[in-house]
């Protein structure tokens, strides 16, 4: 075990472990994020097959995607708290094992209800992985690399979504849709075992001592929330990220079906063309994470202003792409440009959340963000798209939903105004705790935060 922040809490350039071990850890974290989203998104390329075999509505198809995000959201905070206490590496091993076995079990579903239940268990396994993985990256690498590496980490979700869509379409065409689940589930189990070789870190423990006003779980939760962050930045980022994830999840879930219905492509060809869009999202996450890191060296709040501008541009591109009277090729190119911009927020937003979070509760802070973007973002897009499609048309859904990106821009702008103060307060609190090198009771932690903020 290693001690988080001992080398980079003061902004030093050092890694917390040897560079080799750190990069091995990042490689495994990246691969498991790919596995996470392969298993999550493979279903979208199977929509035409499921619709034909079981006669499902678009709302039912969308629910097969949304159920995972709902389960992930509901379990993210409890899982992250447990991971902060009992170890990130062991927790991730358990998570990956569960979601891989659940994916394999989808092969044996004989009706919609069984498949829906299996997909819910996939979500149970994936609960907390993004937040716990983010905290592990933050502890192992110097701060100067955080936005870039977190951008790459969450960019792996796009790569995984691409592979899921492509593999699902190709395998289903040759061997049937059931075989697709087995083909991606078994490699996940192997990666879960290899993850046990990743170095973990020992965190600053935050004790929640009982007091007169701490009766009941609600009071306890309020005190945890008070300790997470000293200002509004975290909550503004959660709202902003949720709006943008509605856009991302809608495009991810419904682009294969859009190409299949409106451009008369086969399910496999539609999956391949949609995969290009998702892959550009992966490249965009890495590119914009690096751009934010560079811009943040001039002034840290500039990286959130960058997100504000990009989310506006992204919304405009998608609205134009799905409404303007363009040729098929021109429409596809405009939508591809939107795909390059749409994932700009993932790494930058999480890195900013970690910056303003109590050092001993990083997994929990990232889990709060994950809870918000999963329940109010990733879960909303596919289901809402299906509902609008059933009532009007899929083309209408693809044209209307991206407008929520304008709301994301507003909240990223508001977060940029409070970010620097909240980040400074969190950094001061972390230095105080590391100097004492002891576990700090909740009341003392809150007091230190208030002094730092003042």
């Amino acid at each position: 075990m290693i001690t988080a922040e001992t080398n980079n809490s003061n902004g030093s350039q050092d890694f917390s472990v040897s560079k080799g071990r750190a990069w091995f850890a990042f490689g495994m974290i990246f691969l498991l994020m790919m596995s996470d989203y392969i298993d999550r998104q493979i279903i979208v390329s199977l929509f035409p097959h499921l619709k034909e075999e079981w006669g499902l509505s678009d709302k039912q198809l969308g629910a097969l995607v949304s159920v995972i995000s709902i389960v992930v959201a509901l379990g993210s905070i409890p899982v992250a708290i447990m991971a902060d206490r009992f170890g990130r590496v062991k927790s991730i091993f358990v998570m990956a094992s569960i979601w891989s076995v659940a994916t394999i079990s989808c092969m044996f579903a004989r009706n919609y209800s069984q498949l829906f239940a299996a997909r819910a268990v996939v979500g149970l396994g994936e609960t907390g992985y993004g937040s716990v993985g983010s905290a592990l990256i933050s502890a192992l690498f110097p701060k100067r690399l955080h936005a870039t590496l977190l951008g790459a980490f969450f960019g792996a979700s796009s790569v995984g979504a691409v592979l899921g869509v492509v593999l699902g379409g190709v395998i289903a065409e040759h061997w049937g849709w059931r075989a697709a689940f087995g083909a991606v589930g078994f490699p996940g189990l192997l990666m879960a075992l290899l993850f046990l070789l990743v170095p973990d870190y020992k965190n600053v423990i935050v004790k929640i001592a009982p007091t007169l006003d701490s009766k009941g779980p609600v009071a306890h939760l309020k005190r945890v929330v008070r300790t997470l962050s000293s200002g509004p930045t975290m909550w503004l980022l959660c709202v902003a990220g949720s709006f943008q994830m509605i856009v991302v999840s809608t495009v991810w879930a419904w682009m294969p079906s859009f190409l299949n219905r409106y451009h008369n492509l086969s399910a496999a060809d539609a999956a391949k063309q949609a995969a290009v869009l998702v892959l550009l999202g992966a490249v965009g996450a890495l590119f914009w994470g690096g751009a934010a890191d560079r811009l943040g060296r001039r002034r840290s709040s500039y990286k959130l202003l960058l997100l504000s501008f990009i989310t506006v541009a992204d919304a405009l591109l998608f609205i134009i792409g799905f409404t303007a009277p363009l040729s098929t090729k021109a429409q596809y190119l405009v939508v591809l440009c939107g795909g390059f911009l749409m994932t700009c927020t993932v790494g930058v937003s999480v890195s900013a959340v970690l910056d303003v979070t109590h050092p001993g509760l990083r997994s929990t802070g990232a889990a709060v963000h994950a809870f918000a973007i999963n329940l109010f973002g990733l879960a909303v897009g596919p289901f809402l798209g299906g509902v609008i499609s059933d009532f009007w048309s899929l083309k209408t859904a693809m044209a209307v939903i991206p407008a929520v990106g304008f709301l994301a821009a507003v909240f990223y702008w508001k977060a940029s105004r409070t970010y620097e103060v909240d980040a400074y307060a969190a950094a001061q609190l972390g230095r105080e705790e590391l100097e004492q090198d002891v576990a700090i009771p909740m009341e003392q932690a809150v007091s230190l935060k208030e002094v730092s903020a003042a």
Side-chain angles (χ1 to χ4, degrees):
M1 303 282 276
I2 60 175
T3 302
E5 297 296 318
T6 53
N7 290 328
N8 58 10
S9 64
N10 61 358
S12 92
Q13 306 297 302
D14 296 332
F15 288 71
S16 295
V17 294
S18 69
K19 287 187 178 182
R21 296 187 73 199
W23 286 111
F24 169 75
F26 178 77
M28 291 305 306
I29 294 169
F30 184 93
L31 287 174
L32 269 185
M33 179 59 102
M34 285 177 53
S35 172
D36 181 324
Y37 273 80
I38 288 173
D39 292 1
R40 183 184 293 211
Q41 291 298 122
I42 194 170
I43 194 77
V44 303
S45 61
L46 308 180
F47 279 177
H49 301 281
L50 294 170
K51 193 176 186 71
E52 180 181 358
E53 183 171 332
W54 289 343
L56 303 179
S57 68
D58 284 349
K59 181 172 69 174
Q60 288 175 305
L61 293 172
L64 291 172
V65 180
S66 295
V67 65
I68 289 184
S69 297
I70 292 171
V71 175
V72 168
L74 295 177
S76 59
I77 297 176
V79 168
I81 292 174
M82 292 178 64
D84 275 333
R85 286 282 179 174
F86 302 113
R88 275 64 42 184
V89 170
K90 291 179 182 178
S91 299
I92 289 174
F93 163 73
V94 173
M95 294 177 204
S97 298
I98 291 174
W99 85 56
S100 297
V101 171
T103 298
I104 295 169
S105 73
C106 292
M107 296 175 62
F108 307 103
R110 290 294 175 263
N111 54 53
Y112 178 78
S113 297
Q114 291 178 5
L115 183 59
F116 185 87
R119 293 284 290 172
V121 179
V122 173
L124 179 64
E126 294 176 355
T127 296
Y129 178 67
S131 54
V132 177
S134 299
L136 198 51
I137 291 172
S138 178
L140 294 175
F141 288 88
K143 187 174 180 180
R144 62 190 169 88
L145 296 175
H146 283 179
T148 302
L149 292 180
L150 288 171
F153 172 52
F154 287 100
S157 64
S158 297
V159 176
V162 166
L163 291 174
V165 171
V166 172
L167 290 173
V170 172
I171 294 172
E173 186 174 286
H174 289 85
W175 297 285
W177 63 265
R178 297 179 188 279
F181 291 112
V184 301
F186 286 107
L189 283 176
L190 177 60
M191 284 186 276
L193 289 170
L194 289 175
F195 200 84
L196 292 174
L197 300 176
V198 169
D200 206 340
Y201 68 91
K202 185 176 181 180
N203 212 350
V204 177
I205 301 299
V206 180
K207 294 182 178 179
I208 306 178
T211 61
L212 293 176
D213 63 345
S214 63
K215 298 177 181 178
V218 175
H220 179 85
L221 180 60
K222 288 181 178 178
R223 297 169 66 222
V224 172
V225 169
R226 283 187 64 201
T227 306
L228 274 174
S229 185
S230 61
T233 305
M234 174 185 286
W235 317 112
L236 292 170
L237 291 170
C238 288
V239 175
S242 298
F243 281 127
Q244 186 61 17
M245 285 302 105
I246 292 175
V247 179
V248 173
S249 60
T250 300
V251 174
W252 276 3
W254 289 110
M255 196 63 190
S257 294
F258 177 85
L259 294 170
N260 173 253
R261 298 180 195 181
Y262 292 94
H263 295 287
N264 298 317
L265 298 179
S266 67
D269 288 339
K272 291 175 184 176
Q273 289 204 18
V276 176
L277 172 69
V278 180
L279 184 59
L280 275 176
V283 175
L286 178 59
F287 176 84
W288 294 115
D293 270 338
R294 290 191 296 273
L295 193 60
R297 289 168 195 160
R298 297 177 60 186
R299 182 168 179 175
S300 57
S301 62
Y302 284 174
K303 62 185 180 183
L304 298 182
L305 285 175
L306 176 67
L307 298 187
S308 185
F309 286 115
I310 297 174
T311 49
V312 168
D314 185 52
L316 289 172
L317 284 170
F318 278 134
I319 292 171
I320 292 170
F322 289 113
T323 60
L326 304 172
S327 66
T328 299
K329 183 177 180 180
Q331 181 191 54
Y332 187 58
L333 288 175
V334 172
V335 172
L336 286 181
C337 290
F340 179 68
L341 300 182
M342 70 179 179
T343 54
C344 65
T345 65
V346 288
V348 184
S349 192
V350 174
S351 71
V353 166
L354 294 173
D355 287 342
V356 300
T357 300
H358 185 291
L361 295 172
R362 279 192 171 142
S363 291
T364 306
V368 170
H369 184 262
F371 169 84
I373 66 171
N374 275 278
L375 187 59
F376 305 115
L378 294 173
V380 172
F383 185 76
L384 180 61
V387 170
I388 295 175
S389 178
D390 284 338
F391 273 93
W392 289 283
S393 70
L394 183 56
K395 187 174 183 179
T396 300
M398 300 295 278
V400 170
I401 293 177
V404 300
F406 297 131
L407 297 175
V410 171
F411 282 93
Y412 277 122
W413 171 74
K414 290 178 68 69
S416 72
R417 302 184 57 151
T418 59
Y419 166 71
E420 291 177 354
V421 172
D422 291 353
Y424 177 78
Q428 290 296 106
L429 178 61
R431 292 190 184 99
E432 290 286 345
E433 294 184 1
L434 287 168
E435 287 172 4
Q436 294 177 37
D437 197 27
V438 296
I440 293 185
M442 178 66 78
E443 292 76 10
Q444 186 177 350
V446 172
S447 176
L448 281 170
K449 285 166 63 63
E450 291 170 350
V451 170
S452 298

